[in-house]
Amino acid sequence: MSRDVQRDVLLKGGRIVDPSQGMDTVGDVLLRGGLVESCGAVVAAPDGADVIDCAGLIVSPGFIDVHVHLREPGREDVETVATGAHAAVAGGFTGLCAMPNTKPVTDNQATVGFVKRRGEDAGYARVYPYGAISVSQKGDTLAEMGEMVAAGAVAFTDDGRPVESAHMMRTALEYARAFNVPVAEHCEDMSLARGGAMNEGVVSARLGLKGIPAEAEEIYVIRDILLARRTGGHIHLCHLSTKGSVELVRWGKERGINVTAEVCSHHISLTEDAVEGYNTNAKMNPPLRTAVDVQALQQGLADGTIDLLVTDHAPHHYDEKEREFADAPNGIVGLETALGVNCTYLLHRGVLSLAQMIDAMSCKPARVFHLPGGSLARGQVGDVTIFDPSRAWTVDASRFKSKGRNTPYGGHALTGQARITLVGGRVVYRATD
Amino acid sequence: MIGPLGKDLLGLAPLSAEQIRLVLDTAVPFREISERQIKKVPTLRGMTIVNLFFEASTRTRISFEFAEKRLSADTVNVAVAGSSVSKGETLVDTARNLEAMKIDMVVIRHPASGAAQFLAERIESNVINAGDGTNEHPTQGLLDLLTLRDRFGDLTGRRICIVGDVLHSRVARSNIWGLTKLGAEVAVCGPRSLLPNAIGEMGVTVFDRVEAAIEWADALNVLRLQLERMEAGYIPSLREYNRVFGITRARLERAPRDLCILHPGPMNRGVEIDSDVADGPHSVILHQVTNGVAVRMAVLYLLAGGKPELAEAAKKGAS
Ligand SMILES: [Zn+2]
Ligand SMILES: [Zn+2]
């Protein structure tokens, strides 16, 4: 069916939770021509419309994950834009930001355009490319940000590594202002973190693994907040993992500095104890921290200090993780477990309300990154996540749409699952069980 | 076969006090075998053991080889040059290949913490950890325990201080687990830059100054200080290390009691330990080496399913 003769879709009788409109009501959502035609009111199905019964389910603006590694171009054996975007919709995500640490690095308009087109061709989640801050992510030369924005880049980062030079970060923050896009930092002081394989603490001391201290992250958090204050640029802090980072972001926000921050689902649900037994699926960067950090991160989400929930979805080939802990690569897949983890550890434990969770997974990512969606108000894109927060399921990595199987949640019981995902008014995923 | 220690010996952390005592008790008769003219018993005849060393360690390998040969096992030494990160066969491939060759036991030394466990989880053969990264070196820990027990008898309440680079030491970790399980009091002493930050949470006392440690302790286990630590900026110089933390005769003379001095070797004479201490009356360093072979015989024997009475019998039968 071609897009111009797209049929109407009526999402019937679900509980619509849309924090962008302050809405929490049982009603209908009508999608027409890929956009939201009406939201909330009970409407009769137009002639020829597809009617989807949403009774007992949550109807929410589509989730957007602003931190995803897709591995294309360069490591298509590990993940492609298409498999990653497919995994995204299976996890309830209608949009994602693709990190630029590809091979070659996404540091120019051609590669940005390539990633964007690959996303459009796949036809699953919307794929928004990140551009690199510096050429080849080497930290020496500013990449051509203006050209990349024109080609579709929505933000800049050297994620995978920090911008080591404070001067380079200052320049990036200043230069990016013209394009009104965030500059995102992977906070890690390499002189403290190099060679580290897990959180520095009693578990690393016991296991004989080199630790990464919390300060390796926090030093960059405060440095970048101060640079944002100096420049007026928008600094977005990736995957915060420590209590100290939350306190520093709070300090910055209290002073009106243009700082936003994200946290990964694994950092609000797991502690360093998951590393016991040298479990390489619990190895990521930043590492899993302590229960005190987990609690502070949850609190930071609840009070709005931390803006967004992300996955840092980082697929690896199965045999790359099948090795000695210190030599195993960092990262885990997250797109297909994030909603279940967030419901289990945040919603059902009373840390966040349903509206707060949806805000952190949909409305705020759209707002912070100036992306379409994040709202079911009339005229918005028809990107919708329909999920069952009470559905219990067991994680089976072999069923992932992602090529990655590297999850620390394998065999875990989670509660909360995406059922139907719509992008641009079309069903792109429907759970079959 | 699953013996009283389980399938593998990966560390002292997973062992109970009873299992540790069993190894030490079993080692005593095996030590006597080494003192005989014909130092060989048929206990492990027909068994194949691979000594898989991803890191050079002449001492540990030779000690294992003696232990294996005195028990009549067939042994193969495999030295894998370079670090595991260098290109070539991965550890998991090595494991699969060994499995395919139907060997009975693997003794593994590897630069990565957790490597022995990684191997043990993937092969049916018994695995003995001969040192994995900065995690554990259980047979060294056991021989230290045997040496201390020879000297003190029961270790309950005995005060043992580990001196030096605890941060990078697998020997230190095995000592801490083993000594604690046997009821000893454990302390560490060294520059704070070479002690894990969270060491206090591991149930040990920390001494900043070696003089205080000497005053407190019944025995010192002096760790080897690797030259690279200075190059990596953990300490200013070897000379200063000796001046501040070195175990010297002058320092020992001020001790309130006769100290027992252990060192896992190889020593840097004049750095962490002075020659007159290493060769002096307090030193039990050569006794450690003797005990090393006996403890390894005991471990091989117990992993092969043996019971301690059988060790006695094996000894008698062969004599
Ligand atoms: Zn990162
Ligand atoms: Zn990342």
Side-chain angles (χ1 to χ4, degrees):
Chain A
M1 156 177 30
S2 85
R3 287 182 196 205
D4 32 310
V5 292
Q6 195 174 339
R7 276 156 64 165
D8 293 347
V9 177
L10 181 63
L11 308 174
K12 193 82 193 141
R15 179 179 162 196
I16 305 163
V17 182
D18 180 2
S20 80
Q21 312 177 70
M23 183 182 285
D24 186 343
T25 184
V26 173
D28 301 345
V29 175
L30 180 63
L31 307 175
R32 173 167 293 162
L35 303 176
V36 178
E37 176 70 17
S38 76
C39 174
V42 176
V43 296
D47 283 349
D50 290 327
V51 179
I52 297 173
D53 179 16
C54 299
L57 300 174
I58 305 295
V59 177
S60 135
F63 302 149
I64 300 168
D65 183 352
V66 303
H67 196 138
V68 176
H69 296 270
L70 289 181
R71 309 298 188 208
E72 185 180 358
R75 284 301 303 272
E76 292 81 356
D77 59 323
V78 173
E79 191 86 291
T80 64
V81 173
T83 58
H86 194 187
V89 295
F93 293 96
T94 59
L96 64 85
C97 296
M99 284 296 174
N101 61 337
T102 46
K103 289 174 189 151
V105 170
T106 307
D107 62 359
N108 60 79
Q109 55 178 337
T111 316
V112 167
F114 169 81
V115 172
K116 190 174 160 67
R117 254 191 331 279
R118 274 279 193 263
E120 286 161 1
D121 293 347
Y124 294 114
R126 297 178 197 269
V127 174
Y128 305 107
Y130 255 102
I133 291 172
S134 64
V135 173
S136 302
Q137 295 190 305
K138 286 209 165 78
D140 303 325
T141 314
L142 206 59
E144 291 174 340
M145 289 187 174
E147 297 273 28
M148 286 194 275
V149 168
V154 299
F156 293 96
T157 188
D158 276 357
D159 183 60
R161 57 205 300 179
V163 177
E164 291 197 43
S165 152
H167 168 72
M168 171 63 73
M169 181 47 92
R170 175 200 171 138
T171 309
L173 283 165
E174 285 170 331
Y175 192 77
R177 284 190 66 176
F179 312 105
N180 194 29
V181 291
V183 174
E185 174 78 291
H186 166 111
C187 296
E188 183 181 19
D189 184 315
M190 296 308 295
S191 70
L192 286 173
R194 192 167 278 118
M198 68 172 299
N199 180 48
E200 179 175 321
V202 68
V203 180
S204 69
R206 265 208 340 262
L207 293 178
L209 290 170
K210 183 164 165 34
I212 301 172
E215 290 75 12
E217 174 174 309
E218 292 156 4
I219 286 166
Y220 268 60
V221 168
I222 192 60
R223 183 197 80 169
D224 289 351
I225 290 173
L226 294 174
L227 292 173
R229 180 175 72 178
R230 166 61 49 187
T231 61
H234 174 187
I235 186 76
H236 177 74
L237 302 170
C238 293
H239 46 50
L240 295 186
S241 70
T242 77
K243 179 172 188 258
S245 292
V246 178
E247 287 166 353
L248 293 169
V249 171
R250 194 172 286 132
W251 180 91
K253 286 193 165 179
E254 279 166 8
R255 279 154 188 76
I257 299 169
N258 195 358
V259 53
T260 54
E262 62 181 42
V263 65
C264 302
S265 299
H266 47 269
H267 287 127
I268 52 85
S269 57
L270 301 174
T271 68
E272 58 184 352
D273 293 339
V275 175
E276 291 282 1
Y278 303 96
N279 175 13
T280 56
N281 280 329
K283 185 180 178 189
M284 69 284 287
N285 189 12
L288 297 173
R289 305 282 187 182
T290 68
V292 171
D293 296 302
V294 169
Q295 213 199 340
L297 292 164
Q298 292 185 351
Q299 183 54 42
L301 266 173
D303 68 22
T305 304
I306 295 180
D307 302 272
L308 316 179
L309 276 160
V310 299
T311 64
D312 199 359
H313 179 82
H316 292 289
H317 206 250
Y318 75 90
D319 58 359
E320 294 173 308
K321 280 281 191 182
E322 179 81 351
R323 59 182 314 161
E324 307 86 296
F325 194 88
D327 299 337
N330 286 307
I332 59 166
V333 289
L335 286 167
E336 290 163 87
T337 50
L339 178 59
V341 170
N342 295 346
C343 285
T344 305
Y345 289 89
L346 298 173
L347 181 63
H348 298 309
R349 296 196 181 171
V351 177
L352 298 185
S353 68
L354 197 51
Q356 283 177 307
M357 188 183 81
I358 291 169
D359 204 22
M361 294 181 73
S362 173
C363 315
K364 282 184 180 173
R367 217 158 56 229
V368 169
F369 279 67
H370 318 293
L371 303 173
S375 172
L376 295 177
R378 183 182 154 83
Q380 295 283 342
V381 292
D383 295 5
V384 189
T385 302
I386 300 167
F387 67 100
D388 181 352
S390 307
R391 190 181 177 87
W393 60 292
T394 303
V395 179
D396 174 1
S398 70
R399 298 186 58 192
F400 285 168
K401 304 285 185 277
S402 168
K403 288 191 183 184
R405 299 285 178 268
N406 46 312
T407 174
Y409 300 105
H412 283 219
L414 298 177
T415 305
Q417 195 182 51
R419 303 304 294 166
I420 302 167
T421 309
L422 296 101
V423 174
R426 290 183 307 121
V427 173
V428 289
Y429 173 76
R430 193 189 289 263
T432 49
D433 56 335
Chain B
M1 192 188 288
I2 307 287
L5 300 184
K7 180 174 100 59
D8 312 295
L9 178 69
L10 302 180
L12 297 192
L15 292 191
S16 66
E18 289 65 40
Q19 287 173 312
I20 292 173
R21 285 197 192 95
L22 174 64
V23 179
L24 304 185
D25 293 344
T26 310
V28 175
F30 279 125
R31 184 167 57 200
E32 285 157 26
I33 292 171
S34 300
E35 279 153 17
R36 281 192 245 144
Q37 194 153 25
I38 297 173
K39 302 173 178 58
K40 201 156 180 151
V41 290
T43 318
L44 297 186
R45 183 175 289 157
M47 290 191 75
T48 344
I49 303 179
V50 174
N51 299 317
L52 184 60
F53 277 60
F54 289 85
E55 231 179 35
S57 169
T58 314
R59 269 165 192 266
T60 304
R61 188 182 50 75
I62 288 176
S63 181
F64 267 108
E65 221 179 319
F66 272 129
E68 290 153 2
K69 292 198 160 138
R70 285 176 191 177
L71 293 173
S72 306
D74 295 321
T75 67
V76 179
N77 292 323
V78 181
V80 186
S83 92
S84 60
V85 261
S86 67
K87 295 288 161 241
E89 199 175 61
T90 62
L91 186 51
V92 69
D93 283 333
T94 307
R96 289 185 186 129
N97 278 306
L98 289 173
E99 190 84 291
M101 285 185 268
K102 310 290 174 206
I103 41 109
D104 298 295
M105 285 194 196
V106 181
V107 175
I108 177 176
R109 157 69 63 104
H110 196 284
S113 298
Q117 181 176 341
F118 180 93
L119 188 71
E121 285 166 355
R122 282 161 184 79
I123 62 174
E124 279 173 39
S125 322
N126 309 105
V127 173
I128 299 174
N129 182 3
D132 63 326
T134 53
N135 177 36
E136 284 223 44
H137 190 355
T139 55
Q140 178 71 42
L142 289 163
L143 76 88
D144 290 341
L145 290 173
L146 182 60
T147 306
L148 287 165
R149 213 175 69 161
D150 289 342
R151 166 73 184 262
F152 296 115
D154 186 11
L155 294 183
T156 309
R158 286 292 171 185
R159 295 168 153 189
I160 319 298
C161 186
I162 303 161
V163 183
D165 182 6
V166 175
L167 185 64
H168 300 99
S169 173
R170 47 193 166 218
V171 177
R173 278 173 189 75
S174 289
N175 264 263
I176 291 170
W177 305 133
L179 287 163
T180 314
K181 281 169 202 265
L182 294 192
E185 286 182 47
V186 184
V188 297
C189 174
R192 288 279 178 165
S193 53
L194 290 175
L195 301 180
N197 216 256
I199 187 79
E201 293 170 58
M202 292 173 76
V204 302
T205 307
V206 181
F207 289 107
D208 280 309
R209 303 308 302 259
V210 75
E211 292 81 2
I214 287 171
E215 199 178 310
W216 174 86
D218 295 310
L220 301 179
N221 195 350
V222 186
L223 301 175
R224 174 178 163 77
L225 185 86
Q226 283 174 325
L227 194 64
E228 304 94 84
R229 304 302 169 225
M230 187 184 79
E231 287 153 2
Y234 287 95
I235 53 162
S237 70
L238 297 182
R239 180 184 164 279
E240 169 154 319
Y241 185 87
N242 181 259
R243 301 278 286 186
V244 183
F245 294 99
I247 304 304
T248 60
R249 163 154 288 202
R251 286 200 166 107
L252 289 186
E253 275 166 1
R254 286 194 288 275
R257 61 193 78 81
D258 266 358
L259 283 185
C260 174
I261 306 292
L262 296 87
H263 191 297
M267 289 181 278
N268 296 306
R269 289 165 182 265
V271 182
E272 73 269 5
I273 190 165
D274 279 3
S275 283
D276 49 4
V277 174
D279 305 328
H282 301 296
S283 167
V284 291
I285 295 169
L286 289 175
H287 189 52
Q288 285 176 276
V289 177
T290 308
N291 278 343
V293 177
V295 152
R296 288 175 179 119
M297 289 170 84
V299 166
L300 291 163
Y301 172 77
L302 290 170
L303 284 182
K307 297 199 171 53
E309 315 86 78
L310 298 180
E312 275 305 317
K315 188 182 65 148
K316 293 202 181 85
S319 50

